[in-house]
Amino acid sequence: AQSVTQLGSHVSVSEGALVLLRCNYSSSVPPYLFWYVQYPNQGLQLLLKYTTGATLVKGINGFEAEFKKSETSFHLTKPSAHMSDAAEYFCAVSEGKDFGNEKLTFGTGTRLTIIP
Amino acid sequence: DVKVTQSSRYLVKRTGEKVFLECVQDMDHENMFWYRQDPGLGLRLIYFSYDVKMKEKGDIPEGYSVSREKKERFSLILESASTNQTSMYLCATTTGTEETQYFGPGTRLLVL
């Protein structure tokens, strides 16, 4: 069974400061990991994903995440926050089609607020 | 670009009504999913479908059914709506060879 834990349901950072959103996962097989962003009154949009290969993954809007197997983590970072980053962020895990399970399991989300 | 559309952005229904939520995708994707999103609970999978006329239960299927008569359309049905089904409903699709799920804009359903 797979699961995701996002630490901190609300995170506030000042504009220009580092953004760090935490995600830990549990999976019985090598996982596929995702970060999605949801702007108000919209659906989810893929920020970045890790499937295989390089463990540091770069996504859209300057975000990146690093897969750390030893820590079962996939934390999302951005060096300098922008007002437009205010949104809700979801981490998700999948065991992938190779293991017969393409279902995504989502974390409970982290709402990011940017302080001017 | 993948386009996933949902029939309504906002919907208000009465308890006991039969409710249909429709999702249409234009990219010939095999797999389609229905989630509900609630504050503090994230997204939870209701049903999914890997092919026309095929369906599988997700984590919270009780009170819901689905229909997939055509590849591009996946309907979520609330046979008898209840107030605890007030939620945001999100549809998603994916190809059979790629892991990324593409989401529609969501339907916010209020059951009175």
Side-chain angles (χ1 to χ4, degrees):
Chain A
Q2 54 197 31
S3 66
V4 174
T5 301
Q6 290 184 241
L7 295 175
S9 58
H10 291 85
V11 171
S12 296
V13 301
S14 297
E15 190 175 14
L18 171 72
V19 175
L20 171 61
L21 304 183
R22 298 178 186 275
C23 172
N24 289 89
Y25 70 90
S26 171
S27 176
S28 56
V29 301
Y32 294 162
L33 295 160
F34 305 79
W35 276 99
Y36 282 86
V37 61
Q38 185 180 34
Y39 298 104
N41 297 315
Q42 294 186 26
L44 275 68
Q45 178 183 357
L46 181 70
L47 265 182
L48 50 80
K49 66 180 179 183
Y50 168 81
T51 53
T52 58
T55 56
L56 181 63
V57 181
K58 295 186 184 299
I60 61 172
N61 301 337
F63 284 93
E64 62 182 37
E66 186 171 12
F67 169 57
K68 292 188 176 181
K69 184 178 178 180
S70 60
E71 299 177 9
T72 61
S73 69
F74 191 57
H75 302 329
L76 182 70
T77 59
K78 181 174 180 177
S80 177
H82 191 273
M83 295 300 295
S84 60
D85 295 327
E88 189 154 23
Y89 292 80
F90 292 93
C91 182
V93 63
S94 165
E95 294 180 348
K97 62 180 178 64
D98 291 341
F99 295 97
N101 183 5
E102 296 170 90
K103 293 184 292 182
L104 283 179
T105 298
F106 285 86
T108 52
T110 298
R111 185 169 297 279
L112 177 64
T113 300
I114 310 299
I115 304 166
Chain B
D1 279 354
V2 177
K3 189 168 184 181
V4 183
T5 58
Q6 295 184 228
S7 51
S8 305
R9 293 300 305 274
Y10 300 94
L11 211 52
V12 180
K13 295 293 182 180
R14 297 282 181 188
T15 302
E17 279 192 77
K18 190 169 186 176
V19 181
F20 293 86
L21 303 181
E22 293 207 317
C23 175
V24 178
Q25 50 104 352
D26 67 353
M27 287 300 293
D28 202 36
H29 284 182
E30 284 81 11
N31 307 328
M32 299 186 75
F33 304 80
W34 274 107
Y35 297 89
R36 64 176 283 175
Q37 181 183 6
D38 300 288
L41 298 177
L43 278 75
R44 294 177 290 167
L45 182 64
I46 305 172
Y47 268 97
F48 59 105
S49 168
Y50 286 143
D51 202 349
V52 174
K53 296 191 184 298
M54 293 182 64
K55 61 184 180 183
E56 291 194 35
K57 293 180 180 179
D59 301 318
I60 52 164
E62 297 78 18
Y64 303 95
S65 62
V66 290
S67 172
R68 194 169 180 197
E69 297 295 320
K70 294 183 178 181
K71 191 174 186 179
E72 68 271 16
R73 189 181 298 268
F74 191 35
S75 301
L76 180 69
I77 304 159
L78 287 65
E79 295 288 344
S80 178
S82 63
T83 55
N84 63 13
Q85 292 178 309
T86 291
S87 186
M88 168 76 102
Y89 290 88
L90 291 161
C91 174
T93 77
T94 186
T95 71
T97 57
E98 184 191 3
E99 300 80 15
T100 302
Q101 291 192 12
Y102 298 90
F103 283 81
T107 295
R108 193 171 292 280
L109 173 66
L110 173 63
V111 182
L112 300 173

